[in-house]
Amino acid sequence: MKKKMTVVGGLMMAVVLTGYSVAGTYAKYTDSSSVTDNAYVAKWDVKLGINNFSLFSSPLNNAKVNNRVAPGGQDTDSFTVNYTNNSEVEVDTVIATTVKNNAMLDLTNVALSADQQTALDAAKVAHPELFDGNNYTPVLFTVERTSGKTENINTEAKLVAALANLKENETVKISWAWAYEVENHVAIFDYLDTQLGKQGGADSDKYIEIGVSITATQRTNSAASSTGTVSATIPEADMNVFTNSWGYDASLVNVTLADNKLTGEITESTNATLIGQFPESDPKGYYYVVNVSGAEGTVVKFGINGRKVQTIGADGSLSIMLALDTVNKTPIRITIGGETTEIDYSGVTFTPAA
């Protein structure tokens, strides 16, 4: 009996060992691979600001009401167009000014005696800065910018021109003064001032307004890829601004623009208002106007190092004044959207003013 039990125990041990050995064959090969991608919303952090400036707050010691201009009044103040882009996207900025200057007297509607007419004619000769055609313009402005100082600004158009192409982080100083008892012409100017004053008041159209705004917009791919063309055909309205407000004389320019090349002759311009439109680093004296055609809103960069930035208007065009370098004759580069047009003027002859 004892010997038989030993055999049975040995068989049981064998079964257990065999079962353990089979279980070990269930393991298998494994591999794995994974990939992830993520993106954050691009940061928009543009800081814009224009400090408050009080140009007409209290210009007269004897004023009963603030925000009035009158004979003997004067004031000055500065503003800065502040701009910082800490965003994670490219940004285009547009700086715009709104100007209204109707503080003037239409002389065609003013009754004058023979003696007054004689006095007026003499006053016009002595003080042409106080007149614009048939308008008496007693409020004179001075605008000081990094590009220089423009004085005796007496019309809305000239004020618009003096404030054109404002730059980011540029400080602009504006002063105004209404001449009082002008020497040798006191009587006639007092009379004209009185006539203008009779048309004044808060319910009149005789007011001055100067406004500045800056708008920042994310640069889109569609705008960056927009293109355009450059031509010598300038809209009449644009040419009038360059001529009447800037002092541009198209008769000094006898050149042809073809295949992005300028050939011909340009005579030097000495007009101080025109020269004052350009920074000191820009060439002086020789100018040419081109018109850019393209899609509305297309960004156009030009000038030295592409510092000047404007956008094509709703009519699909933008006229720009170019200052030519007579020494190096560096080609003009106009970037329209994402495409650069280069104008060569090495064949232009530059003639000094007589």
Side-chain angles (χ1 to χ4, degrees), residues 105-113 116-117 120 134 136 188 191-192 195-196 199:
L105 177 67
D106 185 355
L107 297 175
T108 60
N109 297 322
V110 176
L112 297 170
S113 67
Q116 286 176 322
Q117 184 63 59
L120 176 59
N134 286 321
Y136 168 53
I188 187 61
Y191 178 73
L192 297 179
Q195 299 308 306
L196 178 55
Q199 298 178 15

Side-chain angles (χ1 to χ4, degrees), residues 221-350:
N221 291 333
S222 59
S225 61
S226 298
T227 59
T229 59
V230 177
S231 72
T233 305
I234 314 299
E236 182 179 355
D238 292 347
M239 186 58 78
N240 286 339
V241 171
F242 289 131
T243 301
N244 299 330
S245 300
W246 288 38
Y248 177 66
D249 187 352
S251 67
L252 300 177
V253 181
N254 184 24
V255 298
T256 301
L257 174 62
D259 298 325
N260 293 334
K261 289 186 178 181
L262 278 178
T263 55
E265 178 182 358
I266 296 181
T267 302
E268 179 186 16
S269 173
T270 59
N271 183 279
T273 301
L274 174 60
I275 292 174
Q277 299 297 327
F278 295 86
E280 291 297 327
S281 56
D282 275 356
K284 303 288 185 181
Y286 298 91
Y287 306 96
Y288 186 69
V289 184
V290 298
N291 189 66
V292 178
S293 300
E296 178 185 358
T298 300
V299 176
V300 179
K301 297 182 179 181
F302 59 101
I304 295 178
N305 299 324
R307 288 181 313 188
K308 299 175 182 177
V309 181
Q310 296 187 37
T311 54
I312 295 178
D315 62 350
S317 71
L318 170 67
S319 296
I320 55 179
M321 181 81 75
L322 304 172
L324 307 185
D325 183 353
T326 62
V327 178
N328 303 308
K329 294 191 175 182
T330 305
I332 298 168
R333 291 179 177 84
I334 304 174
T335 300
I336 310 169
E339 184 176 291
T340 298
T341 296
E342 195 169 90
I343 300 177
D344 177 83
Y345 55 96
S346 58
V348 172
T349 300
F350 297 98

Side-chain angles (χ1 to χ4, degrees), residues 132-162:
D132 177 55
N134 286 321
N135 289 312
Y136 168 53
T137 56
V139 182
L140 297 181
F141 290 87
T142 297
V143 175
E144 297 180 61
R145 300 173 55 178
T146 54
S147 57
K149 179 190 290 188
T150 306
E151 298 180 283
N152 290 336
I153 299 171
N154 66 334
T155 65
E156 182 176 312
K158 291 179 181 178
L159 194 53
V160 168

